[in-house]
Amino acid sequence: MTDAPAAPTPPPAIEAVMREQALAVGYAPASARDGFAALLDLDHQLASILQSTTEPMIGQMRLTWWFEALEKLDREPAPAHPVLQRLASSVLPGGVRGADLAPMIEGWEALLDDGEPLDDERVARHAEARGGVLFASVGQLQGQAGMAPLGTAWARADLAQHVSDHAVRARIAGAALSELDGVLTAKSPKPARGLSGLAVLARESLRHPDRLPGHPLRAARLAWHGLTGR
């Protein structure tokens, strides 16, 4: 099977998130920016599968295609898909294998609607496999180890923004805010401020839900973090 093509123009809300993320990428070392952006593109691609799929079985099939496609990057030329080609050209040369990225699929599989409640185990599986793998991979490109906990907290906070059940959202947001406060205690080293900047923006979303992506105070907060690491 082949994956459905990405929408040519993302919704305005997604565009605002992507613009913020592009600002955060700008705080990464120049040598890692293309790979950082490519990995965020992969995350958006996987998120779009859940957003556009109403049948869990179809969603599972599409995620399985991506799992296999990522693993094949280690032994075959990238197929004619822009996300996979960007990964092959800007991520794999930095020592991150396709097999290292494939576990991200498991993070998104944890959210497939099978009628079961979104309990803490599923949330943790999503956050660790999605955010932990994503941030660890970007960290490897930047020569920064230990980025997985930051990514786990970021993914948990991001998930909280997309849960419709108020009680579940409050539970996830509370845990995410506590986790973010813990991982953002120390001053972030300069090479890691692109990644930690994403975590800072995630915490801003929880602390100030009225400030949507694109709000000038969010941009100012990111700029301050980029300059100071705080």
Side-chain angles (χ1 to χ4, degrees), residues 42-123:
L42 172 62
D43 187 62
H44 285 293
Q45 179 71 50
L46 299 178
S48 72
I49 292 175
L50 266 71
Q51 293 165 352
S52 62
T53 302
T54 56
E55 292 292 333
M57 183 175 294
I58 299 299
Q60 181 66 68
M61 292 171 64
R62 295 178 69 190
L63 288 171
T64 298
W65 185 92
W66 275 93
F67 185 92
E68 295 173 350
L70 289 171
E71 287 200 319
K72 286 179 181 178
L73 287 178
D74 296 331
R75 58 183 185 273
E76 298 178 11
H81 190 290
V83 172
L84 292 170
Q85 291 185 340
R86 289 190 71 187
L87 292 173
S89 64
S90 61
V91 175
L92 269 63
V96 178
R97 300 176 304 151
D100 297 328
L101 301 174
M104 288 180 66
I105 305 303
E106 299 172 9
W108 290 104
E109 287 176 338
L111 300 185
L112 286 173
D113 185 6
D114 57 3
E116 296 296 321
L118 190 58
D119 58 19
D120 291 342
E121 188 276 331
R122 292 176 68 182
V123 171

Side-chain angles (χ1 to χ4, degrees), residues 17 20-21 24 36 39-44 47 104 108 123 126-136 138 147-162 172 175-177 179-181 183-184 194-206 218:
V17 171
E20 277 195 341
Q21 291 184 343
F36 191 169
L39 287 165
L40 289 174
D41 282 348
L42 172 62
D43 187 62
H44 285 293
M104 288 180 66
W108 290 104
V123 171
H126 168 75
E128 292 167 7
R130 176 200 179 190
V133 171
L134 175 63
F135 275 49
V138 177
M147 294 291 104
L150 194 68
T152 298
W154 166 82
R156 196 185 301 273
D158 185 70
L159 175 61
Q161 308 302 308
H162 299 90
I172 298 173
L177 187 55
E179 196 172 356
L180 285 166
D181 285 341
V183 296
L184 290 172
L195 281 175
S196 54
L198 292 181
V200 166
L201 288 174
R203 186 168 63 178
E204 287 294 295
S205 294
L206 298 179
R218 288 172 62 91

Side-chain angles (χ1 to χ4, degrees), residues 27 150 183-197 199-200 203 220-230:
Y27 290 105
L150 194 68
V183 296
L184 290 172
T185 299
K187 180 179 179 179
S188 177
K190 192 170 183 179
R193 289 178 192 172
L195 281 175
S196 54
V200 166
R203 186 168 63 178
R221 181 66 184 88
L222 177 62
W224 176 252
H225 179 76
L227 290 171
T228 67
R230 298 290 187 183

